Every structure is written in C-alpha cells, then in structure tokens.
Amino acid sequence: MSNTWFIKDKLFTKYLSSEEIQNSVRSLAARINQDMTDKNPVFIVVLNGAFIFAADLLKKVRVDCEIVFVKLSSYSGTQSTGNVLEVMGLDISLKNRHVIIIEDIVDTGLTLHRFLDKVRAMEPADVRIASCLLKPDAFKMDYSIDYLCFSIPNEFVVGYGLDYDGLGRNSADIYKILNT
Ligand code: XMP
Ligand code: MG
C-alpha cells in the first residue's frame, strides 16, 4: 500500500508500519505472560476500536484467561450532572479478579477514567490497562497505562482498528493525518 491514503476529505500518511506494530505487540504480550502467570486474568476489550489490537495481542497471550467485550458510549445527560458513561456488555463478576482493560488509544483519558470507576466498583483484585496508543500531550489523568505500544503526538490517527468517520479500521498499518 502506498504511503498516503485519502479517506473521505482528508489525506493521511503512513506512520507506524504493520511490522513495527507487531513487534511491539509481541513484547507487550511477553510482559503480560510474565506478569499474569497463575493469575487467570479477565481481559476487557473496549469495542469498537480495540478489536484488531486485542486479537493480535491475545493470540500471543499464553496464560489461562477470560475475554469479554464492552462497548462504551458517552453522552450528555439530560440533567446538569454532565456526561454519563454507558457500559454495554459487562456481564461477568470481576470480584477478586485480575483485570486488564484493552484499548486502542488513550487520548484525554476521560473515557477510560469513567470506565475505571465502574470497574473498580466491582471490587477486582487488580486493574491494569493495555493500550496500543497514547497521546501523552492530551492525557490529563492520574492513572497509568501499564502496557503501552506507542506514545504518539497529539494528532489524529486511523487504521489498525481506529476509524475516521467509520472508515479506515481495516488497515494493518497506522496512518496519521497530514496537515496541509
Ligand atoms: P479519550 O481518551 O479522550 O478518547 O476519552 C476517547 C476516544 O476517542 C477516540 N480517539 C481517536 N480515534 N483516532 C481515532 O480514530 C484518534 O486519533 C483518536 N483519538 C481519540 C477513541 O475512540 C478513544 O477511545
Ligand atoms: Mg476507543
């Protein structure tokens, strides 16, 4: 595939190759395998964006584990309480379990911050976060990303599960928006 990609009205340029991504995913999986030995973790995959990263990562995870999927949607509440996070699909008890949340990208960190509150309320033994990407310049929260493939600049990216207006998820490489 060429180094530039026109999606809808925007031009993107190749930023992280499939090979670079796979190498990073492999070392992340090795760390998880080491850390989670005999811990029987529960992986919570955040849909939609994390589906490709999660599939690649989990194929390399060798410890016994469970995998569940959630869909998060934030919307403005009808009252002045602000944004409400709705969690769909978390139908398993997390009490005393070792939990690893799998995300595609952490930007401001707000979505995960709200989801973390809900997960912690379910009294797990431990909660960790695995994310393919982090935008450190946008990240405003005080939790840490325990397993991270890449820190990236504060620019819009697509591919490897990430979309621009619904398009671009089906790319093995990650592309970054070209500011013209
Ligand atoms: P935060 O951490 O700010 O991120 O709550 C919320 C969600 O925003 C999406 N996001 C992106 N999606 N390219 C995308 O395709 C990006 O560069 C990007 N930055 C943030 C993503 O769904 C994340 O979960
Ligand atoms: Mg996401």
Side-chain angles (χ1 to χ4, degrees):
M1 198 184 248
S2 81
N3 282 333
T4 56
W5 190 8
F6 200 67
I7 305 175
K8 281 202 158 174
D9 54 348
K10 302 221 182 310
L11 191 60
F12 292 83
T13 184
K14 196 187 277 188
Y15 178 57
L16 293 165
S17 71
S18 167
E19 196 184 355
E20 288 172 275
I21 298 167
Q22 293 306 320
N23 285 340
S24 186
V25 169
R26 196 173 306 114
S27 47
L28 218 65
R31 282 178 51 210
I32 291 174
N33 284 331
Q34 205 157 47
D35 295 350
M36 290 295 134
T37 306
D38 300 325
K39 292 201 165 142
N40 187 24
V42 180
F43 290 93
I44 303 178
V45 181
V46 180
L47 296 174
N48 298 322
F51 79 109
I52 293 184
F53 173 53
D56 282 349
L57 181 69
L58 291 168
K59 278 184 282 184
K60 298 174 176 69
V61 165
R62 295 280 168 256
V63 298
D64 286 344
C65 63
E66 286 177 70
I67 303 168
V68 296
F69 302 87
V70 293
K71 198 157 178 172
L72 307 181
S73 75
S74 28
Y75 55 92
S76 293
T78 50
Q79 294 161 331
S80 56
T81 47
N83 288 338
V84 177
L85 183 77
E86 201 183 8
V87 179
M88 286 153 282
L90 195 53
D91 50 4
I92 178 178
S93 168
L94 300 179
K95 197 171 170 70
N96 300 326
R97 299 296 302 270
H98 292 267
V99 172
I100 300 182
I101 299 168
I102 304 185
E103 257 287 24
D104 50 355
I105 185 165
V106 180
D107 191 322
T108 63
L110 193 64
T111 309
L112 218 47
H113 170 72
R114 300 228 260 14
F115 182 54
L116 269 171
D117 278 349
K118 304 216 173 205
V119 170
R120 285 188 181 127
M122 296 172 78
E123 301 175 27
D126 179 38
V127 186
R128 297 183 189 204
I129 297 165
S131 183
C132 183
L133 303 172
L134 169 69
K135 293 180 178 173
D137 294 340
F139 187 62
K140 298 278 182 281
M141 301 295 150
D142 56 4
Y143 56 84
S144 55
I145 310 300
D146 308 275
Y147 303 105
L148 177 68
C149 286
F150 302 99
S151 285
I152 64 166
N154 200 3
E155 290 170 291
F156 194 76
V157 288
V158 296
Y160 201 62
L162 293 148
D163 70 301
Y164 168 51
D165 227 1
L167 298 173
R169 293 192 199 277
N170 58 314
S171 165
D173 309 299
I174 292 174
Y175 286 71
K176 175 170 94 167
I177 199 157
L178 247 187
N179 295 307
T180 45

